[in-house]
């Protein structure tokens, strides 16, 4: 047992920086205040020589009873934030779960999981010492002994990557049938990053399509991490939305998912462009539809007030907004009632197809009748899945009827021509092609109608998402979700455009 007089040592050493790593570790263990505290403090220390060697350079708690990490001696801010997170009570959570097992312990302690440690038997795994209980700083940053001795030379940085078979990062623990976060995330658009390579290099697009830019610009995070300066693009990984050190919001989110404004976590990106005109169409307008703000073409003189249109999925009825449907947790059992999966909603797919075992598979294609509406029923908004499915199909059918009144793509070639059915082909037939000049920034009744249809397009009417008029192409970034983000508003916009075209061009 090594005894020390920490306060006296402060005065004797004069805060020297040339002490050995082991000695400084002992010194920090006794005083979180570093070189400021001049009061004599007598602390009996554990046998650090043996413990550090066996632990692979991990330091853990200075005082397990108070959950004061040794890292917190020099980083009190992150220590205070972390102390309020679920990670800080990970061991107690496991012991109180009723199904604690030895194979669970490495994810509830400081071990080789979550960091770049090469040796799997370190920290708690090698010592069983209580100083390594809970998910501490070193669980993500790796062993801190070298950094304690030489802070400038050795800076253990955490990785922000997330991979199913990764040997580092969040995915090493946040996986498996009971918490398949990384597995589900990997199938999502956030995980796959379908536009990261293209949009991630554009300054205007990167803050929503590339992880590093999202952290720096969208969330104002400037902390260092291992991939920060590697010159590679990063998808929207776990740490983009979740702050590893803790936050004031549930699940350590970087922003609230409840507030009905553009500062909402999801809506910081899903509220980009909702009003006409751009041949690229509405862009990430899902949040704008839910909020009924800055969205759609409102014909002059229509008297349409979007704020007065009821929205069953809007803030008044739906506190969780986007997350209510897109991040709904669901327990999945087989036909015999046996547990299969605790779906954590990180596919971000509201009504997913199912695989043969009944597990959500967002990469599959299937008709609406075969999709799960468990998120709709589980949210408490709909009585059961069948009721939600019928409501969904009803809204989709109503939008289809209105969309066809504007343009029915009879040849299914996605090219608007005078021979098609609907009002817009009649505009062309009257020799008014200039009214549909997509390359002009001028908004006409005809182009305003196209804009509203691009907001409201359904899977049954894909020509409104990707079509052509007079040789010019228009495209809509996926927005509507078959109208569910605000079905009454979309119907009102389409009806207003139908009336506007009839009036403006003398059509019946």
């Amino acid at each position: 047992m090594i005894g020390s007089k920490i306060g006296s040592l402060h005065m004797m050493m004069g805060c020297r920086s040339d002490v050995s790593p082991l000695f400084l570790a002992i010194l920090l263990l006794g005083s979180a205040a570093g070189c400021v505290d001049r009061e004599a403090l007598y602390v009996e220390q554990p046998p650090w020589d043996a413990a550090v060697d066996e632990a692979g350079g991990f330091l853990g708690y200075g005082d397990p009873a108070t959950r004061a990490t040794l890292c917190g001696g020099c980083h009190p801010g992150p220590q205070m934030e972390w102390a309020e997170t679920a990670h800080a009570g990970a061991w107690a959570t496991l012991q109180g779960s009723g199904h604690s097992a030895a194979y669970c312990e490495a994810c509830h302690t400081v071990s080789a999981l979550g960091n770049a440690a090469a040796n799997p038997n370190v920290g708690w795994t090698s010592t069983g010492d209580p100083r390594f209980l809970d998910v501490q700083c070193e669980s993500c940053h790796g062993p801190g002994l070298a950094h304690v001795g030489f802070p400038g030379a050795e800076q253990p940085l955490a990785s922000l990557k997330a991979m199913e078979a990764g040997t580092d990062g969040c995915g090493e623990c946040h996986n498996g049938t009971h918490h398949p976060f990384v597995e589900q995330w990997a199938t999502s658009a956030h995980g796959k990053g379908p536009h990261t390579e293209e949009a991630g290099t554009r300054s205007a697009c990167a803050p929503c399509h590339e992880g590093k830019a999202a952290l720096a610009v969208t969330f104002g995070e400037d902390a260092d991490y291992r991939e920060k300066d590697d010159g590679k693009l990063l998808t929207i990984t776990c740490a983009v939305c979740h702050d590893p050190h803790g936050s004031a919001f549930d699940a350590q989110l970087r922003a609230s998912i409840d507030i009905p404004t553009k500062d909402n976590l999801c809506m910081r990106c899903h509220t980009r462009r909702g009003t006409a005109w751009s041949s690229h169409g509405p862009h990430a307008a899902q949040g704008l539809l839910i909020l009924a703000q800055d969205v759609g073409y409102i014909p002059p003189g229509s008297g349409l007030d979007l704020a007065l249109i009821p929205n069953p999925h809007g803030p008044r009825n739906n506190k969780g907004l986007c997350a209510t449907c897109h991040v709904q947790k669901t327990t999945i059992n087989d036909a015999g009632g046996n547990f299969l999966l605790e779906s954590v909603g990180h596919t971000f797919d509201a009504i997913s197809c199912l695989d043969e075992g009944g597990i959500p598979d967002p990469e599959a294609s299937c008709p609406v009748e075969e999709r799960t509406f468990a998120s709709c029923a589980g949210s408490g908004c709909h009585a059961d899945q069948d009721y939600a499915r019928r409501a969904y199909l009803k809204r989709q059918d109503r939008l289809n009827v209105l969309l066809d009144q504007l343009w029915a793509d009879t040849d299914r070639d996605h090219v608007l021509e005078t021979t098609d059915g609907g009002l817009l082909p009649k505009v062309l037939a009257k020799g008014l092609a200039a009214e549909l000049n997509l390359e002009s920034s001028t908004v006409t009744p005809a182009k305003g109608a196209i804009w509203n249809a691009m907001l409201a397009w359904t899977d049954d009417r894909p020509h409104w998402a990707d079509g052509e008029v007079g040789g010019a192409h228009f495209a809509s970034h996926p927005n509507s979700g078959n109208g569910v983000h605000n079905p009454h508003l979309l119907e009102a916009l389409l009806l207003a455009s139908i009336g506007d075209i009839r009036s403006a061009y003398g059509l019946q």
Side-chain angles (χ1 to χ4, degrees):
M1 189 69 70
I2 300 174
S4 62
K5 300 180 180 179
I6 299 297
S8 299
L9 285 171
H10 284 182
M11 300 177 67
M12 294 168 58
M13 298 303 299
C15 296
R16 290 172 55 189
S17 61
D18 59 344
V19 296
S20 72
L22 179 57
F23 183 86
L24 191 52
I26 298 172
L27 191 64
L28 287 175
L29 180 63
S31 174
C35 297
V36 176
D37 185 7
R38 296 288 181 173
E39 297 295 327
L41 179 62
Y42 297 87
V43 179
E44 286 296 317
Q45 300 297 335
W48 270 97
D49 294 295
V52 171
D53 290 340
E54 294 173 7
F58 285 89
L59 302 174
Y61 281 134
D63 184 359
T66 61
R67 291 190 299 188
T69 65
L70 272 170
C71 302
C74 287
H75 303 282
Q79 158 81 35
M80 292 175 64
E81 294 176 340
W82 164 86
E84 300 298 322
T85 70
H87 281 163
W91 181 259
T93 298
L94 175 62
Q95 302 311 307
S97 66
H99 48 74
S100 174
Y103 63 80
C104 305
E105 292 179 357
C107 279
H108 291 258
T109 59
V110 178
S111 72
L113 298 181
N115 55 74
N119 184 355
N121 296 311
V122 293
W124 168 263
T125 311
S126 61
T127 67
D129 194 305
R131 76 184 62 171
F132 298 116
L133 298 180
D134 301 322
V135 180
Q136 303 178 35
C137 317
E138 294 170 297
S139 294
C140 300
H141 288 269
L145 180 61
H147 177 60
V148 166
F150 306 99
E154 298 286 344
Q155 187 177 8
L157 296 177
S159 171
L160 296 195
K161 286 185 177 180
M163 298 174 287
E164 285 188 78
T167 57
D168 199 355
C170 309
E172 278 204 283
C173 281
H174 293 276
N175 61 45
T177 56
H178 286 276
H179 31 61
F181 289 96
V182 68
E183 294 95 334
Q184 293 194 337
W185 167 85
T187 67
S188 73
H190 286 170
K192 288 184 172 181
H195 305 294
T196 298
E197 292 296 326
E198 178 185 1
T201 58
R202 302 176 184 174
S203 59
C205 306
C208 285
H209 288 278
E210 197 275 329
K212 298 175 185 177
L215 280 168
V217 180
T218 304
F219 295 108
E221 177 61 71
D222 63 354
D224 292 327
Y225 49 92
R226 200 177 308 153
E227 296 81 20
K228 189 173 185 178
D229 299 313
D230 65 3
K232 299 178 181 178
L233 298 175
L234 186 70
T235 56
I236 305 301
T237 63
C238 315
V240 172
C241 296
H242 300 270
D243 188 336
H245 292 130
S247 77
F249 309 106
D250 290 343
Q252 297 178 221
L253 292 170
R254 294 190 182 273
S256 171
I257 58 172
D258 298 338
I259 56 173
T261 72
K262 295 178 183 179
D263 286 329
N264 178 289
L265 177 79
C266 307
M267 294 184 193
R268 293 192 179 199
C269 280
H270 292 274
T271 51
R272 308 312 294 175
R273 182 173 61 240
T275 55
W277 175 256
S278 166
S279 60
H280 295 293
H283 187 77
Q286 301 94 338
L288 298 172
L289 284 167
I290 289 176
L291 298 177
Q293 295 177 6
D294 304 321
V295 67
Y297 169 73
I298 302 177
S302 66
L304 191 60
D305 186 346
L306 302 187
L308 298 180
I309 300 173
N311 180 15
H313 293 154
R316 179 174 296 181
N317 303 309
N318 175 20
K319 182 183 177 183
L321 298 169
C322 315
T324 299
C325 297
H326 290 278
V327 195
Q328 184 68 224
K329 291 187 177 182
T330 309
T331 300
I332 300 170
N333 299 319
D334 63 17
N338 300 308
F339 173 81
L340 290 177
L341 180 79
E342 185 69 30
S343 177
V344 291
H346 274 56
T347 65
F348 308 109
D349 196 10
I351 54 168
S352 182
C353 295
L354 302 175
D355 65 13
E356 294 180 355
I359 294 175
D361 182 5
E363 298 177 303
S365 177
C366 65
V368 174
E369 290 76 14
E370 296 178 12
R371 293 176 177 267
T372 175
F373 281 75
S375 64
C376 307
S379 66
C381 298
H382 297 276
D384 53 47
Q385 290 198 50
D386 288 337
Y387 181 91
R389 184 178 290 106
R390 289 195 300 271
Y392 178 90
L393 290 170
K394 178 181 178 181
R395 291 300 174 190
Q396 181 174 282
D397 289 344
R398 289 169 67 92
L399 289 176
N400 288 342
V401 170
L402 296 174
L403 290 168
D404 285 348
Q405 288 189 44
L406 290 172
W407 169 29
D409 184 21
T410 53
D411 292 331
R412 298 185 182 277
D413 58 2
H414 296 201
V415 178
L416 178 61
E417 297 177 336
T418 59
T419 55
D420 290 308
L423 292 169
L424 291 177
K426 292 182 180 180
V427 174
L428 290 176
K430 292 189 71 171
L432 299 174
E435 293 291 299
L436 282 162
N437 180 3
L438 303 184
E439 297 177 353
S440 168
S441 61
T442 302
V443 183
T444 65
K447 288 170 64 178
I450 289 180
W451 187 269
N452 287 339
M454 283 195 286
L455 280 169
W457 71 274
T458 71
D459 293 337
D460 295 334
R461 304 295 186 268
H463 53 284
W464 287 112
D466 190 359
E468 182 181 314
V469 182
H473 180 252
F474 67 85
S476 175
H477 194 72
N479 293 304
S480 171
N482 291 300
V484 297
H485 290 108
N486 199 330
H488 299 304
L489 180 148
L490 291 170
E491 286 186 30
L493 288 173
L494 292 176
L495 285 167
S497 281
I498 289 170
D500 191 37
I501 289 179
R502 286 174 175 165
S503 175
Y505 307 119
L507 300 174
Q508 298 298 319

